[in-house]
Amino acid sequence: MRNLKLAFRTLFKSPFVTAVAVLSLALGIGANAAIFSVFDRILLQSLPVAEPERLVNLSAPGPMQGSTSCNQAGDCDEIFSYLMFRDLAAAETAFEGIAGHRPFGANIAYEGQTLNGGGTLVSGSYFPLLGLRPALGRLFTPDDDRNVGGHPVTVLSHAFWQTRLGGSRDVLERSIVINGSTFTIIGVAPAGFEGTTLGSEPRVFVPLSMRAQVSPGFDGFDDRRAYWVYLFARLEPGISMAQAQASINAVYQPILNDVEAPLQQGLSEQTMAQFRAKQVLLADGRRGQSSVHGEARTPLLMLLVTTGIVLLIACANIANLLLARGANRGMEMAIRLSLGATRRQVLGQLLTESVVLAVLGGMASLFVARGTLGVITSIMPPEAADSLQLGLRTSAIVFTAALSIGTGLLFGMFPALHSTRPDLVSTIRANAGNLTVTRAATRFRTTLVTAQIALSMTLLITAGLFLKSLQNVSRQDLGLRIDNIITFRVSPQLNAYTPERSRVLFTRLEEELAALPGVTHVTTSLVPILSGSNWGSNVSVEGFQADPDTDTGARFNEIGLGYFNAFDIPLIAGREFTAADVAGGAKVAIVNEAFARKFNLGREPVGKLMATGAGGELDMQIVGFVRDAKYSRVKDAVPPLFFTPWRQDEMIGSLSFYVRTSGDATPVLRGLTGVVAGLDANLPVEDLKTMPQQVRENIFLDRIISSLSAAFAALATLLAAVGLYGVLAYSVARRTREFGVRMALGADGGYVRSLVLRQVGWMFAIGGSLGILAALGLGRAARSLLFGLEGNDPIVIVSATAMLALFALAAGFVPAFRASRVDPIKALRYE
């Protein structure tokens, strides 16, 4: 306690210096705390279930012939057919059980109010395997999921129950309408449980066997070539993952070879061999199943390294500060040691001071971390931000505390050891009470600043790469014009509309939107543009010969009238769709340039025939040929793409609308919900936003990385410049006598300035070179995150070098100027 009181007293004797140190540490620790909070939420946090370490996710990479439907729960290697899931779940394996699940979109109606949200289809084994207990009522059991279409029951999420239903205990046994089908509420999930898919926040849980009721038109229960179910399992106690994998494959392989292989059609011998050799692979399932885990790993690791570098630079500054303070307190330390204090006691006092300084910085860092998380949240799409709910959880606060104490020990150890070295008393006596700076301390301070320059150079180059990458993304030619366009989506089929009613609603909605003041174009599409959605199909094309292993896949979209005109996509040949292109009429399609290239159609595809699927009758005529335009993601290449009229889709149930205005879209944006409500007050408007906003959300990860890396690099450069200035200013003050002698012997101010700036040059040359080498390695590791450039872009390297050289010169100029203005007479009297 005495050390603590003395530490506070000592620190507050120089409040300005202490404030600067605390601010530096707050910025460095706060940046780390914020990024760690995101890292922990996405990559470390386990599901709030019993013994999550025993959960494993199942996948079966390899050929999949038939229909595949994967979503945010994982990629298409992780999906199984419903029948395969039932076969594996019923077999004796090294698992306590296997559960199936799949997120889905939902329109939920309860007591006259309808809202759009998410749901999760889960098997009857889902909740028992997770070891969850209900907050109200009961959860699903295997008996609630035995018969396809026979269990119209639902479990509500705790958050939905509390926020939308007021936490009423009377909801049990009441009816709720999900996507037009009526379900009975049997329970509420426990608080804090938000499903097993990060990025998907379900409001309702529905039995897996009820998918046809919540996904109208679905018919994939009895097809072993329809892959759509995600699986996880719980290991038996004492069973390793390798043992469990061998156990499940002993069941999977016979089913694959004896039952499913004969169902495959048109595969080459090589592909069939690959199909028969498929194995079930297991992966750690404690964090659930989500595509976010893989997508976010590299960016978050990169940002964590970046913030770590910023903190190291801040620590170097504080270490230099404490070395300078230690030199000024040399007499104090010597007197303490002379009066009988042990080195351990004095060392403890100095380390207490550095730890107190770090803890103060850590406390202030929580505000920096909260602000940084706010910036990250503001860049993210609203849906992702709501789902992740980023904040300073207990784990982040514990991390901040540990980092603060560790930082205090890190930057305080060498100054404390140096200030209590055994030769301290004799050194003071030899210098008549003055403590000169030892060579070890000088070398240490110089090394720290050189390291700061190297680290700053690394961050500046890395930030430059990300900024140039973002610039390349932003300058991408989308192939379509998005200014003054509003988009939203409606899904009447989820409100029990028949396809005929949906078609009437869509037509009326197009007409009423077109009548709004300021609206110039209205069009529609089944697949929302630049939203990350990909819908595809194998195709057969007239004149294109395909062997069994040929890739005949293409993306598709169903669109409304005037689509290409609304987006200003040039029509090369043929025509757009007309009101005559309806169900029952001749099937028509429009293809893009990438489609024509892939299927060898040349520049005259109009008039050729095609069909969806392999080997089918060519019953669809290509009537239009358009320029390439982006489809799913801004950064992706334009895929082979064909368009069909949504009016020819007999099962159409949802559409995205695009409304172009002649000027500012804001007034129209406010009135769109009223138009929809006027046609059906119970029909939710989904994803209402402008197209520029849609594009920004499409590249939000690039924007987050670029913004944060640029901010952290600027902070690191500023801290390094401050550190360089501090070392040079202290060095000039200590060399005042030397400069006075030199000037007394005839040296002019320019020569003295060159001595100081030469020191800056050497530190910059060594530190800058090391930083460039480190940046090249970091750029190579981050290559997957860069767009349109390599990790060794010379323009970025030269620009970063010039910028840092300018900062280093500015930091060294003031001390150099002061050195050149030393009065020789006063200098000779110095010390």
Side-chain angles (χ1 to χ4, degrees), residues 19 30 99 233 326 357 385 444 480 489 590 610 612 629 689 772 817 823:
L357 194 64
F444 183 74
L480 47 84
R489 190 170 184 84
I590 296 173
M610 61 173 288
T612 57
K689 63 190 72 171
I772 290 174
F817 182 75
D823 185 339

Side-chain angles (χ1 to χ4, degrees), residues 41-42 45-49 52 55-57 72-74 78 99-103 119-123 125-127 129-132 192-202 205 230-234 284-293 387:
R41 177 72 180 93
I42 294 177
Q45 190 171 319
S46 297
L47 295 173
V49 302
L55 297 177
V56 291
N57 297 328
Q72 66 266 39
E78 299 177 54
H101 65 106
R102 179 184 177 85
T120 300
L121 292 156
V122 301
S123 65
S125 54
Y126 182 87
F127 289 115
L129 276 186
L130 294 175
L132 296 174
F193 179 72
E194 299 170 352
T196 49
T197 299
L198 183 67
S200 173
E201 192 175 9
F205 297 89
Y230 292 91
L231 305 184
F232 69 86
R234 180 179 286 277
D284 187 352
R286 73 185 67 196
R287 293 172 293 121
Q289 233 170 338
S290 175
S291 60
V292 176
H293 296 145
S387 177

Side-chain angles (χ1 to χ4, degrees), residues 87-437:
D87 289 341
L88 296 178
E92 290 289 336
T93 60
F95 299 122
E96 287 187 359
I98 300 176
H101 65 106
R102 179 184 177 85
F104 70 97
N107 278 4
I108 304 168
Y110 182 77
E111 294 186 345
Q113 294 186 348
T114 302
L115 60 109
N116 179 258
T120 300
L121 292 156
V122 301
S123 65
S125 54
Y126 182 87
F127 289 115
L129 276 186
L130 294 175
L132 296 174
R133 295 184 176 182
L136 183 69
R138 67 178 182 87
L139 304 178
F140 295 147
T141 68
D143 289 336
D144 295 308
D145 188 42
R146 294 196 184 279
N147 304 314
V148 171
H151 306 281
V153 291
T154 185
V155 169
L156 308 180
S157 74
H158 193 274
F160 177 66
W161 176 56
Q162 287 287 333
T163 58
R164 291 289 182 170
L165 307 184
S168 171
R169 304 183 69 86
D170 296 333
V171 298
L172 294 181
E173 301 304 322
R174 290 198 176 185
S175 295
I176 188 170
V177 178
I178 303 172
N179 291 356
S181 296
T182 301
F183 290 79
T184 300
I185 300 171
I186 64 170
V188 176
F193 179 72
E194 299 170 352
T196 49
T197 299
L198 183 67
S200 173
E201 192 175 9
R203 291 175 169 172
V204 292
F205 297 89
V206 173
L208 193 68
S209 56
M210 299 295 291
R211 186 182 178 187
Q213 281 64 42
V214 296
S215 301
F218 173 78
D219 185 21
F221 287 110
D222 298 324
D223 186 356
R224 287 188 175 272
R225 301 197 308 155
Y227 303 91
W228 56 276
V229 185
Y230 292 91
L231 305 184
F232 69 86
R234 180 179 286 277
L235 298 173
E236 290 275 10
I239 297 295
S240 69
M241 197 176 292
Q243 291 172 319
Q245 187 163 304
S247 170
I248 191 68
N249 279 300
V251 175
Y252 178 75
Q253 277 284 310
I255 299 173
L256 187 76
N257 284 278
D258 299 340
V259 180
E260 297 202 346
L263 300 176
Q264 310 307 307
Q265 301 173 358
L267 296 184
S268 67
E269 291 185 6
Q270 181 181 1
T271 304
M272 178 59 79
Q274 293 174 352
F275 181 85
R276 289 182 176 276
K278 285 173 61 172
Q279 297 263 328
V280 173
L281 303 181
L282 305 184
D284 187 352
R286 73 185 67 196
R287 293 172 293 121
Q289 233 170 338
S290 175
S291 60
V292 176
H293 296 145
E295 295 171 357
R297 180 178 299 277
T298 300
L300 288 178
L301 285 173
M302 189 67 61
L303 289 175
L304 208 56
V305 169
T306 300
T307 55
I309 291 174
V310 173
L311 183 58
L312 286 176
I313 293 174
C315 288
N317 275 354
I318 310 304
N320 272 327
L321 175 66
L322 294 182
L323 270 176
R325 176 180 283 177
N328 294 329
R329 296 174 65 188
M331 182 62 71
E332 175 193 342
M333 298 299 108
I335 291 173
R336 290 188 179 197
L337 293 171
S338 299
L339 292 177
T342 65
R343 189 187 186 196
R344 182 176 179 180
Q345 289 174 322
V346 179
L347 192 64
Q349 175 59 43
L350 293 177
L351 286 177
T352 300
E353 292 177 12
S354 63
V355 170
V356 167
L357 194 64
V359 169
L360 291 174
M363 293 170 63
S365 74
L366 296 177
F367 296 98
V368 176
R370 191 178 298 276
T372 304
L373 289 174
V375 171
I376 295 174
T377 300
S378 68
I379 298 176
M380 297 174 68
E383 299 83 3
D386 291 342
S387 177
L388 293 178
Q389 296 180 352
L390 299 178
L392 291 175
R393 292 175 169 81
T394 303
S395 56
I397 295 174
V398 171
F399 171 81
T400 303
L403 188 62
S404 300
I405 295 172
T407 297
L409 295 174
L410 174 66
F411 68 68
M413 185 59 70
F414 183 84
L417 290 172
H418 182 266
S419 297
T420 60
R421 64 191 187 278
D423 65 339
L424 181 64
V425 176
S426 58
T427 302
I428 291 179
R429 288 172 179 169
N431 290 281
N434 291 313
L435 182 63
T436 58
V437 180

Side-chain angles (χ1 to χ4, degrees), residues 441-776:
T442 301
R443 283 196 300 269
F444 183 74
R445 291 168 63 85
T446 303
T447 301
L448 284 179
V449 172
T450 304
Q452 285 180 306
I453 292 173
L455 294 173
S456 296
M457 179 68 81
T458 302
L459 292 191
L460 277 175
I461 293 175
T462 305
L465 291 172
F466 284 129
L467 285 173
K468 188 169 182 179
S469 174
L470 180 63
Q471 187 180 54
N472 290 343
V473 173
S474 301
R475 290 179 175 177
Q476 269 288 289
D477 180 12
L478 299 177
L480 47 84
R481 194 160 62 90
I482 61 172
D483 57 297
N484 297 331
I485 292 184
I486 304 165
T487 179
F488 65 92
R489 190 170 184 84
V490 291
S491 304
Q493 72 172 13
L494 301 184
N495 276 29
Y497 273 57
T498 63
E500 292 74 18
R501 283 188 65 202
S502 295
R503 195 174 287 109
V504 171
L505 175 75
F506 294 148
T507 302
R508 288 191 58 193
L509 194 50
E510 285 178 329
E511 294 171 352
E512 297 205 14
L513 290 172
L516 290 176
V519 172
T520 59
H521 297 84
V522 175
T523 192
T524 49
S525 73
L526 175 64
V527 184
I529 304 304
L530 296 173
S531 68
S533 297
N534 284 278
W535 291 33
S537 172
N538 292 331
V539 297
S540 301
V541 181
E542 180 182 354
F544 183 78
Q545 299 298 321
D547 60 46
D549 290 334
T550 299
D551 174 20
T552 59
R555 298 287 186 252
F556 78 89
N557 205 348
E558 297 179 8
I559 60 175
L561 306 180
Y563 177 86
F564 301 105
N565 188 29
F567 281 106
D568 203 15
I569 301 174
L571 189 68
I572 300 173
R575 65 173 177 87
E576 282 206 50
F577 298 134
T578 68
D581 297 317
V582 295
K587 292 184 179 180
V588 293
I590 296 173
V591 301
N592 71 348
E593 293 174 294
F595 186 97
R597 287 192 298 270
K598 180 170 182 175
F599 296 101
N600 300 328
L601 297 178
R603 302 298 293 177
E604 297 181 356
V606 175
K608 297 289 180 68
L609 298 177
M610 61 173 288
T612 57
E617 179 187 354
L618 301 180
D619 59 352
M620 186 183 300
Q621 185 178 40
I622 299 174
V623 298
F625 182 37
V626 295
R627 294 281 187 196
D628 283 342
K630 295 290 184 177
Y631 170 70
S632 174
R633 299 182 187 275
V634 174
K635 295 171 66 173
D636 290 351
V638 178
L641 178 63
F642 68 96
F643 303 86
T644 59
W646 67 256
R647 286 175 168 79
Q648 290 192 336
D649 184 351
E650 296 181 352
M651 297 302 296
I652 192 71
S654 64
L655 281 180
S656 289
F657 283 74
Y658 306 93
V659 180
R660 177 179 289 283
T661 61
S662 57
D664 183 16
T666 305
V668 178
L669 186 67
R670 288 195 292 263
L672 290 181
T673 53
V675 174
V676 176
L679 296 175
D680 186 344
N682 293 320
L683 187 63
V685 173
E686 310 164 33
D687 300 326
L688 177 62
K689 63 190 72 171
T690 65
M691 280 302 295
Q693 182 183 352
Q694 177 87 302
V695 170
R696 288 195 298 272
E697 292 179 1
N698 194 261
I699 57 172
F700 83 92
L701 194 58
D702 300 79
R703 293 171 58 221
I704 288 177
I705 296 173
S706 300
S707 301
L708 293 181
S709 61
F712 295 150
L715 176 59
T717 303
L718 180 61
L719 291 173
V722 170
L724 178 60
Y725 171 81
V727 167
L728 292 176
Y730 186 75
S731 175
V732 166
R734 286 294 176 179
R735 295 172 66 187
T736 299
R737 188 183 189 90
E738 173 196 340
F739 292 143
V741 171
R742 289 179 180 274
M743 296 184 74
L745 294 176
D748 60 8
Y751 177 77
V752 173
R753 283 195 296 272
S754 70
L755 289 178
V756 178
L757 293 178
R758 194 179 305 161
Q759 184 182 0
V760 176
W762 277 110
M763 288 190 290
F764 179 80
I766 296 172
S769 299
L770 293 175
I772 290 174
L773 292 176
L776 292 176

